[in-house]
Amino acid sequence: MACPTAAEGRSAWQTPGGRRAEQRDWHAANFGSIDALRQAVDEPGLRRIRDEKGAANAVREVKRQRPKLPLDVAVTLVKAL
């Protein structure tokens, strides 16, 4: 019966606030700014998705490519394109 205990421990660790803090730390350590992030992603591809399918789909694509990126940063990136 170790699985339920392990699952409870993991779910307790991954509270929404804890996950957001982990994502923010990762973003700050790897990019630090929106400009650095813009250089690391496929801007023309994201711009095309945004223009053809909408901003929400472009944000989903950013999150698919960089799952550790905080959602608000992904939204800001798509708006900045």
Side-chain angles (χ1 to χ4, degrees), residues 1-54:
M1 296 281 166
C3 291
T5 304
E8 289 173 7
R10 181 160 172 80
S11 67
W13 177 79
Q14 279 195 327
T15 60
R19 178 124 171 97
R20 277 192 293 264
E22 178 187 346
Q23 289 175 331
R24 290 199 181 284
D25 292 345
W26 177 85
H27 169 64
N30 287 293
F31 299 106
S33 71
I34 290 294
D35 293 330
L37 181 59
R38 283 179 74 169
Q39 294 175 356
V41 297
D42 176 23
E43 280 189 71
L46 289 174
R47 210 175 285 120
R48 186 182 71 249
I49 292 171
R50 184 196 62 194
D51 294 344
E52 292 175 3
K53 298 180 181 179

